[in-house]
Amino acid sequence: MKFLPISFLILALATATALAYDPSPLQDICLATNDLESGVFVNGKFCKDPKQATADDFVFMGLRNPGNTSNPLGSKVTQAFVQQFPGLNTLGISMVRVDFAPGGLNPPHFHPRGTEVQIVVEGTLLVGFVTSNQLNNTLFTKVLYKGDVFVFPIGLIHFQLNIGNTYALSISSFSSQNPGLITIANAVFGAKPPISADVLTKAFQLDKKVVEYLEAQSWYDNN
């Protein structure tokens, strides 16, 4: 190893880091199961015996019907992650359906383990994401119409807003079977137990009464 050029070692480490997301499958299928007695544990999920697989294990019907948008956000996210769709286990992909009432918002959030690519099926959406501090928190935003596709890089805060007067629908896919979700307002002001108001007062440069008011609200989860 000592004879390898430094540049080669750096490239090897960078490649290993880049590939360190969902693991590649080591067998044809590894269907997630909650049966801890017969399953084999693989990165967060147990796999059932592949000889017991049926066609039903590879279909998910939860995206058929519109989500209920009668809520404070006017949107509903229906997930097809590995938790809902066991057939995705070890495949490194997942999906969601997002329904929007007129004016409906999928609020600022991020996925710590997956890049998202979204296609608009119906309606008109204003979408965008914000880069990290490294790139001065630059906002990239665009109005999307039916058939348009937008990508949200892994780990960056993003949002979608229905700016049309009619119902809107989008479908997104992810580069992870379990991309995770952190909704900013819910995490900051709805943490349990709550984050110290002194911390948030200084962080957001708000009056302490405003912070206490925000922490007292019921932060809706549209997932």
Side-chain angles (χ1 to χ4, degrees):
M1 290 294 289
K2 66 181 180 181
F3 298 109
L4 291 176
I6 295 297
S7 58
F8 179 83
L9 291 177
I10 293 174
L11 177 62
L13 288 173
T15 302
T17 301
L19 297 177
Y21 293 112
D22 287 9
S24 298
L26 299 177
Q27 57 193 53
D28 289 349
I29 55 177
C30 187
L31 300 165
T33 179
N34 293 321
D35 182 0
L36 308 187
E37 296 296 327
S38 61
V40 177
F41 188 73
V42 179
N43 192 27
K45 289 292 179 181
F46 282 78
C47 299
K48 76 177 184 180
D49 186 342
K51 295 179 181 179
Q52 297 178 1
T54 69
D56 288 340
D57 291 314
F58 303 99
V59 63
F60 179 72
M61 301 177 183
L63 303 187
R64 285 184 175 185
N65 301 316
N68 184 0
T69 59
S70 299
N71 58 64
L73 294 173
S75 69
K76 176 61 179 177
V77 179
T78 305
Q79 297 178 348
F81 295 170
V82 69
Q83 292 89 339
Q84 298 84 23
F85 189 3
L88 297 180
N89 198 36
T90 74
L91 299 183
I93 56 173
S94 58
M95 299 182 71
V96 297
R97 169 186 178 133
V98 190
D99 294 273
F100 300 86
L105 171 70
N106 194 15
H109 63 280
F110 67 92
H111 307 284
R113 294 181 296 276
T115 290
E116 175 181 358
V117 60
Q118 179 183 48
I119 183 169
V120 177
V121 180
E122 296 289 344
T124 306
L125 297 179
L126 172 68
V127 306
F129 69 86
V130 181
T131 63
S132 66
N133 296 10
Q134 182 181 17
L135 293 179
N136 299 317
N137 304 120
T138 302
L139 171 65
F140 291 92
T141 185
K142 194 73 176 177
V143 174
L144 304 183
Y145 302 92
K146 183 177 180 179
D148 291 345
V149 177
F150 198 84
V151 64
F152 305 98
I154 184 172
L156 298 184
I157 296 171
H158 58 280
F159 62 87
Q160 299 102 19
L161 172 68
N162 182 3
I163 60 173
N165 297 318
T166 61
Y167 163 85
L169 169 65
S170 71
I171 299 291
S172 291
S173 61
F174 298 86
S175 61
S176 171
Q177 68 179 37
N178 184 23
L181 172 68
I182 299 176
T183 305
I184 307 304
N186 301 45
V188 173
F189 297 108
K192 298 179 180 60
I195 298 172
S196 168
D198 292 331
V199 171
L200 298 181
T201 296
K202 182 166 289 189
F204 289 92
Q205 300 179 36
L206 295 173
D207 185 275
K208 190 172 183 179
K209 290 184 178 180
V210 174
V211 170
E212 291 173 344
Y213 169 80
L214 291 171
E215 289 194 311
Q217 302 308 300
S218 296
W219 294 94
Y220 184 79
D221 180 6
N222 65 339
N223 285 265

